[in-house]
C-alpha cells in the first residue's frame, strides 16, 4: 500500500437536512470545511424556495454521504471532472 487515501464523499447538514455533498480524503478535512465561516456565509446567501439555506442559529454538521447522496454527487461531478472536489447542492437552489 502506498499510503494514499482515496476521496470520500461527505455531506454537510443544516439543522439535520442534507444540503451539500463534497469530496475530500479525510474526515478531519471535512470537519474543517464544515466549520469554515465562508461555508456558512455561502449557505446563508444561497436560497431554496425563497429562504436562505442557513442562518446564524443553524447547526451545521458533517457526515459521510449515504449511497443516494454519493450517486448524485458523482453524477453532477462526472461532467465537470476539472472541478472535482467542488460541492454539489443536494437540494434545489433558486436562480
Amino acid at each position: 500500500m502506498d499510503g494514499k487515501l482515496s476521496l470520500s464523499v461527505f455531506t454537510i447538514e443544516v439543522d439535520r437536512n442534507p444540503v451539500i455533498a463534497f469530496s475530500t480524503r479525510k474526515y478531519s478535512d471535512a470537519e474543517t470545511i464544515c466549520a469554515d465561516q465562508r461555508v456558512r456565509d455561502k449557505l446563508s446567501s444561497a436560497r431554496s424556495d425563497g429562504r436562505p439555506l442557513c442562518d446564524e442559529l443553524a447547526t451545521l454538521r458533517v457526515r459521510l454521504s449515504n449511497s443516494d447522496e454519493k450517486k448524485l454527487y458523482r453524477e453532477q461531478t462526472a461532467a465537470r471532472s476539472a472541478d472535482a472536489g467542488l460541492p454539489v447542492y443536494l437540494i434545489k437552489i433558486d436562480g
Side-chain angles (χ1 to χ4, degrees), residues 1-70:
M1 190 159 114
D2 62 8
K4 292 184 180 179
L5 299 173
S6 62
L7 290 174
S8 296
V9 180
F10 295 91
T11 294
I12 293 178
E13 295 181 339
V14 177
D15 292 335
R16 298 223 173 253
N17 296 309
V19 175
I20 292 179
F22 63 97
S23 63
T24 189
R25 297 195 188 285
K26 298 187 290 186
Y27 185 78
S28 60
D29 294 341
E31 286 180 314
T32 299
I33 290 167
C34 183
D36 191 323
Q37 183 61 41
R38 292 174 294 183
V39 170
R40 183 177 287 273
D41 293 344
K42 181 76 171 175
L43 292 173
S44 295
S45 65
R47 301 213 180 289
S48 179
D49 293 328
R51 296 185 315 244
L53 300 180
C54 177
D55 64 26
E56 64 277 353
L57 300 176
T59 301
L60 273 60
R61 76 178 192 115
V62 68
R63 62 169 171 77
L64 281 170
S65 297
N66 65 34
S67 59
D68 291 337
E69 294 161 348
K70 286 180 194 176

Side-chain angles (χ1 to χ4, degrees), residues 70-79:
K70 286 180 194 176
K71 181 181 176 190
L72 179 62
Y73 176 81
R74 290 190 175 114
E75 287 171 355
Q76 294 292 317
T77 58

